[in-house]
Amino acid sequence: MAEGDVSKYRMVVIGGSAGSLDSILKIVAAVQEAVDVAFVVVVHRGKSGDSILTDLLSSQTKLVVKEVEDKELILPGTIYIAPPDYHLLLENEYTFSLDASEKVHYSRPSIDVTFESAALVYGPALVGVLLSGANADGAVGLKNIADAGGFTIAQQPATAEVGYMPQQAINLTKVSVILEGEDIGIFLKTLLK
Amino acid sequence: MENSVKDEELDLLLDELFRSYGYDFTNYARASLKRRVSRLMIIDRFPSFAELLYRVRQDPAYLTRMVEELTVNVTEMFRDPQVFKTIREEVLPILATHPFIRIWHAGCATGEEVYSMAILLDEANLLHKSLLYATDLNPTAIENIRKGVFPISEMKQYSENYILSGGKHDFSKYYTAKYNWAKFDDRLKAKMIVATHNLVSDRSFNEFVLIFCRNVLIYFDKYLQDNVLTLFDDSLEKLGFLVLGSKENLRFSPIARKFKQLENRERIWRKVM
């Protein structure tokens, strides 16, 4: 831990489904000083290629918000959104890739797929956040992040709009910390300093 | 994740597939390939990577299955309906002026997109003077195009896509339902030429006025993407159209300067020089 005051974390992956939007908006608002970190948001949503989610997130932060294109470079200080109807993978620390293969947990994008891929690439330099949702997606992925030495955050199921998803992760692995949805942003802000 | 395939292991497998069978996956995007191999190990219950490699070496018959599972064959009819709407409204009126319409669906997997296009051509009264070349590297997948049979469970979704693409008919008029399958009209198939073609190793084989290659380039690395795009450029007549997947782009590719994207920003480019 002799890294001075530079955070060891270089990427934060955030997964959410039903009832997660509020927390996501609070998180992106809170972390806008974290210009050395890349953020990835994976949420379950419809297929349509509209830009509502990108616009909403952009309105809350100074950081660049964009939907990932195939083979896009991973840059710090940017919030990347997994595009609808594709799984989002990481080739290495510098490049995303997309994959249109079978749905996982009835979902494409699947949170598990991105979490596992990011854990393989970033190991202990990764933070995983799993939010409200009615689906088991993300639990295995969060465990992958923990097993690879990364930091894991689950939203408090009792007060989440839909507690099922974070609860699945808590049952499966020892998460680093369980937080109220509205506190995750502030916590990340400190963690990433 | 303890089951996930390591880089060195993937290299061994790719090397084997190339040396023994001539399939070159070396410039495929690795993150996706690793997932496919890990998935295959689970489905076919290989206790270790070594067992998988041994099977590939010893059992040529297993190769077909391997290739089938390493490549992604997920597709649907009228996927991204807006693209097909644009083709109906902006591309077909131009193609209509041609005496003959040659189309290539490159990497078309089980052929849903080829049937979608045949329906569009039929509705524009152009099918009689069209030929649709349907190719994929996976022999099992394209066999399905010859059959023209798709799961009935998908028809509700396809029918919705068809309507969103500007279709005016009852979609069910194009198929006959039989048990769990929808058998599509043989009239559509009559204009299709089905063949195996490997975008990595095979050359251009004709000149086309329209090429589809959607959600195939995402499985390739940048180097291979550029090679394949050059192959498309070589296979496309001047003023022809190239259709890519909704997150694929010509930008930063060597052929970009020769192509112009349609005004509505759908992933359709016209070869202007």
Side-chain angles (χ1 to χ4, degrees), chain B residues 22-23 104 135-137 195-205 227-228 231 235:
Chain B
Y23 277 103
W104 180 17
T135 69
D136 198 274
L137 89 162
T196 56
H197 181 276
N198 190 336
L199 289 168
V200 178
S201 50
D202 294 336
R203 308 293 307 261
S204 170
F205 58 96
N227 282 357
V228 172
L231 171 68
S235 311

Side-chain angles (χ1 to χ4, degrees), chain B residues 33-58:
Chain B
L33 258 191
K34 274 192 203 168
R35 276 195 73 226
R36 302 307 291 177
V37 176
S38 303
R39 181 174 175 275
L40 184 64
M41 285 179 61
I42 295 167
I43 302 176
D44 287 355
R45 300 172 186 219
F46 289 106
S48 69
F49 178 79
E51 301 270 351
L52 170 74
L53 194 60
Y54 182 78
R55 179 79 183 269
V56 173
R57 279 187 179 144
Q58 301 301 318

Side-chain angles (χ1 to χ4, degrees), chain A residues 26-41:
Chain A
K26 290 206 172 77
I27 291 171
V28 300
V31 298
Q32 48 189 330
E33 312 296 332
V35 292
D36 298 321
V37 181
F39 296 84
V40 175
V41 176

Side-chain angles (χ1 to χ4, degrees), chain A residues 134-147:
Chain A
N135 182 308
D137 193 19
V140 170
L142 205 65
K143 182 178 189 307
N144 292 154
I145 294 172
D147 292 349

